[in-house]
Amino acid sequence: MASSTWHVEKRQSLKNESPLSRDLEHAPETGSLSIVVLGASGDLAKKKTFPALFHLYRQGFLLPDEVCIFGYARTKITDGELRNRLHGYLVPGKDSSPKQLEDVSKFLHLIKYVSGSYDSEDGFCNLDKEISEHESLKNSAEGSSRRLFYLALPPSVYPSVCKMIKTCCMNKSDLGGWTRIVVEKPFGKDLESAEQLSTQIGELFEEPQIYRIDHYLGKELVQNMLVLRFANRLFMPLWNRDNIANVQIVFREDFGTEGRGGYFDQYGIIRDIIQNHLLQVFCLVAMEKPVSLKPEHIRDEKVKVLQSVLPIKDDEVVLGQYEGYRDDPTVPDHSNTPTFATVILRVHNERWEGVPFILKAGKALNSRKTDIRVQFKDIPGDIFKCQKQGRNEFVIRLQPSEAMYMKLTVKKPGLEMETVQSELDLSYRQRYQGVTIPEAYERLILDTIRGDQQHFVRRDELKASWEIFTPLLHRIDKGEFESIPYRPGSRGPAEADELLLGKAGYVQTHGYIWIPPTL
């Protein structure tokens, strides 16, 4: 007879599942650091990547005796010419102090430039030679140096560039060193193209080496979401379908495509904003509490909530296109590409059953802001008869003027028992005077250097996000949804407000406007 004794086998930790996942641990990193910006002559690199690197340098996170920054592109220019092009993006303005100008000069001298094709070994072998010379000058032991490749490039060249990096520019990782790649959105146009791209890159690099960047995950108040939800007892019992009526995540811009019409027309507002930026914010609002703050535990919960989203209903979508969009000569005359979209997501789980999540994004609207608006349900047995004034709301302003405030009903000062809407307000500019809020790219590049993937999109997370939107996007591409014209400077199509007040059950507050406090 077999023994009935229980045998308990301890599950192996993640770090033993892949030889490269020790990147996530605190391995000693004493070797030189080479940061390669591919697409160095492009707008993204000049406006975002290099300025973020400069700010990290000024704050002491990039040490001049360890780091060298390489620009790589097809453009045939010299080190000096690249430095001259970058200078204007790094100097804060005409009133720059001598110290600031000196810092810019010292930083620019850390930058070297290599010219080459994105699909030829010659250029990448030359790049590897330059990196190796830097590592030799810093006396890095073989295999201990660190190589970070930032692909500020269109996704169409990701496969060839990654293949060239793998063939020519890898660092040996057996002595604490590493090679990591950072890839920008858009990561595919639908589920099939995203999976194809993931497979092509996944055949060359393991998941701990791949950092799919979404700069919204680097924003101060987005990073605050987990702290707000899981470090405050106040919110834990309220954050569910019993108390919350609806949640809005809204992105507004008060300008149009601004000369990017041809590029934007290939994607539209859902691919450009909603499927990535707003959906990442949605995950942090709706996910369950992770086991710990380890990146994999957090990303596991994000995947779970994405997989709980029901298929999007036709009557819970409104698309719009601002009048004048097609006047851009790079936009087709009969383009149906939406510049505005409101989409309702519904989550099929115990916490959120019946609560609509409204994701809204638009260009050429009446304001510029991004915020999360959590509206609570009506008070049962309202003895003050104040429901017409509006519901309680918790609002998180992501940009501009970072803030969070709670809309409350309070007694109006005076002799009469009258109620009025007011707020509890935490405005960052007022509360944290003199504190500089880092740019999103600064945080995320520093995370890649530290090997922290918490704020980056994992492959299964990317797949789950495309599974939500691909059916809708394919139907839009086929012309089955019409983009409703709306006037620039308006709130967008009136049908979007009707959807919000009707199917989403949002109750508008009349007569109350939040005004950011002045210093």
PDB file of all heavy atoms in Angstrom, residues 331-343:
ATOM      1  N   VAL A 331      -3.491  63.850 -45.480  1.00  0.00           N
ATOM      2  CA  VAL A 331      -4.626  63.014 -45.073  1.00  0.00           C
ATOM      3  C   VAL A 331      -5.505  62.742 -46.293  1.00  0.00           C
ATOM      4  O   VAL A 331      -5.848  63.672 -47.022  1.00  0.00           O
ATOM      5  CB  VAL A 331      -5.451  63.714 -43.972  1.00  0.00           C
ATOM      6  CG1 VAL A 331      -6.721  62.933 -43.661  1.00  0.00           C
ATOM      7  CG2 VAL A 331      -4.616  63.888 -42.709  1.00  0.00           C
ATOM      8  N   PRO A 332      -5.907  61.493 -46.534  1.00  0.00           N
ATOM      9  CA  PRO A 332      -6.789  61.188 -47.672  1.00  0.00           C
ATOM     10  C   PRO A 332      -8.101  61.964 -47.595  1.00  0.00           C
ATOM     11  O   PRO A 332      -8.640  62.209 -46.503  1.00  0.00           O
ATOM     12  CB  PRO A 332      -7.046  59.679 -47.527  1.00  0.00           C
ATOM     13  CG  PRO A 332      -5.879  59.161 -46.741  1.00  0.00           C
ATOM     14  CD  PRO A 332      -5.484  60.270 -45.822  1.00  0.00           C
ATOM     15  N   ASP A 333      -8.620  62.346 -48.760  1.00  0.00           N
ATOM     16  CA  ASP A 333      -9.823  63.177 -48.832  1.00  0.00           C
ATOM     17  C   ASP A 333     -11.038  62.525 -48.177  1.00  0.00           C
ATOM     18  O   ASP A 333     -11.923  63.222 -47.670  1.00  0.00           O
ATOM     19  CB  ASP A 333     -10.148  63.503 -50.288  1.00  0.00           C
ATOM     20  CG  ASP A 333      -9.112  64.434 -50.913  1.00  0.00           C
ATOM     21  OD1 ASP A 333      -8.401  65.099 -50.136  1.00  0.00           O
ATOM     22  OD2 ASP A 333      -9.011  64.470 -52.150  1.00  0.00           O
ATOM     23  N   HIS A 334     -11.114  61.208 -48.215  1.00  0.00           N
ATOM     24  CA  HIS A 334     -12.289  60.515 -47.683  1.00  0.00           C
ATOM     25  C   HIS A 334     -11.957  59.733 -46.418  1.00  0.00           C
ATOM     26  O   HIS A 334     -12.619  58.737 -46.104  1.00  0.00           O
ATOM     27  CB  HIS A 334     -12.878  59.585 -48.753  1.00  0.00           C
ATOM     28  CG  HIS A 334     -13.260  60.296 -50.017  1.00  0.00           C
ATOM     29  ND1 HIS A 334     -14.347  61.144 -50.091  1.00  0.00           N
ATOM     30  CD2 HIS A 334     -12.675  60.312 -51.246  1.00  0.00           C
ATOM     31  CE1 HIS A 334     -14.439  61.648 -51.316  1.00  0.00           C
ATOM     32  NE2 HIS A 334     -13.432  61.162 -52.038  1.00  0.00           N
ATOM     33  N   SER A 335     -10.969  60.180 -45.679  1.00  0.00           N
ATOM     34  CA  SER A 335     -10.552  59.471 -44.465  1.00  0.00           C
ATOM     35  C   SER A 335     -11.683  59.398 -43.440  1.00  0.00           C
ATOM     36  O   SER A 335     -12.374  60.388 -43.185  1.00  0.00           O
ATOM     37  CB  SER A 335      -9.340  60.170 -43.836  1.00  0.00           C
ATOM     38  OG  SER A 335      -9.059  59.621 -42.568  1.00  0.00           O
ATOM     39  N   ASN A 336     -11.864  58.215 -42.854  1.00  0.00           N
ATOM     40  CA  ASN A 336     -12.833  58.011 -41.779  1.00  0.00           C
ATOM     41  C   ASN A 336     -12.123  57.831 -40.434  1.00  0.00           C
ATOM     42  O   ASN A 336     -12.742  57.468 -39.434  1.00  0.00           O
ATOM     43  CB  ASN A 336     -13.690  56.772 -42.084  1.00  0.00           C
ATOM     44  CG  ASN A 336     -14.844  56.606 -41.109  1.00  0.00           C
ATOM     45  OD1 ASN A 336     -15.567  57.543 -40.819  1.00  0.00           O
ATOM     46  ND2 ASN A 336     -14.986  55.394 -40.558  1.00  0.00           N
ATOM     47  N   THR A 337     -10.822  58.093 -40.401  1.00  0.00           N
ATOM     48  CA  THR A 337     -10.022  57.872 -39.201  1.00  0.00           C
ATOM     49  C   THR A 337     -10.537  58.740 -38.047  1.00  0.00           C
ATOM     50  O   THR A 337     -10.651  59.957 -38.195  1.00  0.00           O
ATOM     51  CB  THR A 337      -8.545  58.208 -39.470  1.00  0.00           C
ATOM     52  OG1 THR A 337      -8.068  57.354 -40.507  1.00  0.00           O
ATOM     53  CG2 THR A 337      -7.697  58.006 -38.213  1.00  0.00           C
ATOM     54  N   PRO A 338     -10.847  58.127 -36.902  1.00  0.00           N
ATOM     55  CA  PRO A 338     -11.358  58.925 -35.775  1.00  0.00           C
ATOM     56  C   PRO A 338     -10.263  59.734 -35.086  1.00  0.00           C
ATOM     57  O   PRO A 338      -9.174  59.230 -34.820  1.00  0.00           O
ATOM     58  CB  PRO A 338     -11.943  57.879 -34.828  1.00  0.00           C
ATOM     59  CG  PRO A 338     -11.226  56.607 -35.157  1.00  0.00           C
ATOM     60  CD  PRO A 338     -10.872  56.681 -36.613  1.00  0.00           C
ATOM     61  N   THR A 339     -10.579  60.992 -34.821  1.00  0.00           N
ATOM     62  CA  THR A 339      -9.704  61.827 -33.986  1.00  0.00           C
ATOM     63  C   THR A 339     -10.300  61.949 -32.577  1.00  0.00           C
ATOM     64  O   THR A 339      -9.727  62.611 -31.714  1.00  0.00           O
ATOM     65  CB  THR A 339      -9.552  63.233 -34.584  1.00  0.00           C
ATOM     66  OG1 THR A 339     -10.849  63.859 -34.654  1.00  0.00           O
ATOM     67  CG2 THR A 339      -8.953  63.156 -35.985  1.00  0.00           C
ATOM     68  N   PHE A 340     -11.456  61.317 -32.373  1.00  0.00           N
ATOM     69  CA  PHE A 340     -12.144  61.311 -31.085  1.00  0.00           C
ATOM     70  C   PHE A 340     -12.800  59.947 -30.918  1.00  0.00           C
ATOM     71  O   PHE A 340     -13.315  59.365 -31.881  1.00  0.00           O
ATOM     72  CB  PHE A 340     -13.211  62.410 -31.044  1.00  0.00           C
ATOM     73  CG  PHE A 340     -14.083  62.400 -29.812  1.00  0.00           C
ATOM     74  CD1 PHE A 340     -13.806  63.249 -28.745  1.00  0.00           C
ATOM     75  CD2 PHE A 340     -15.156  61.522 -29.694  1.00  0.00           C
ATOM     76  CE1 PHE A 340     -14.593  63.234 -27.598  1.00  0.00           C
ATOM     77  CE2 PHE A 340     -15.947  61.496 -28.557  1.00  0.00           C
ATOM     78  CZ  PHE A 340     -15.659  62.353 -27.509  1.00  0.00           C
ATOM     79  N   ALA A 341     -12.771  59.429 -29.697  1.00  0.00           N
ATOM     80  CA  ALA A 341     -13.486  58.175 -29.423  1.00  0.00           C
ATOM     81  C   ALA A 341     -13.877  58.118 -27.957  1.00  0.00           C
ATOM     82  O   ALA A 341     -13.117  58.520 -27.076  1.00  0.00           O
ATOM     83  CB  ALA A 341     -12.632  56.964 -29.786  1.00  0.00           C
ATOM     84  N   THR A 342     -15.090  57.635 -27.724  1.00  0.00           N
ATOM     85  CA  THR A 342     -15.536  57.252 -26.392  1.00  0.00           C
ATOM     86  C   THR A 342     -15.908  55.777 -26.450  1.00  0.00           C
ATOM     87  O   THR A 342     -16.698  55.368 -27.311  1.00  0.00           O
ATOM     88  CB  THR A 342     -16.765  58.071 -25.935  1.00  0.00           C
ATOM     89  OG1 THR A 342     -16.389  59.442 -25.789  1.00  0.00           O
ATOM     90  CG2 THR A 342     -17.294  57.563 -24.604  1.00  0.00           C
ATOM     91  N   VAL A 343     -15.312  54.989 -25.565  1.00  0.00           N
ATOM     92  CA  VAL A 343     -15.541  53.543 -25.538  1.00  0.00           C
ATOM     93  C   VAL A 343     -15.846  53.140 -24.094  1.00  0.00           C
ATOM     94  O   VAL A 343     -15.143  53.548 -23.164  1.00  0.00           O
ATOM     95  CB  VAL A 343     -14.302  52.763 -26.034  1.00  0.00           C
ATOM     96  CG1 VAL A 343     -14.558  51.265 -25.988  1.00  0.00           C
ATOM     97  CG2 VAL A 343     -13.918  53.192 -27.447  1.00  0.00           C
TER      98      VAL A 343
END
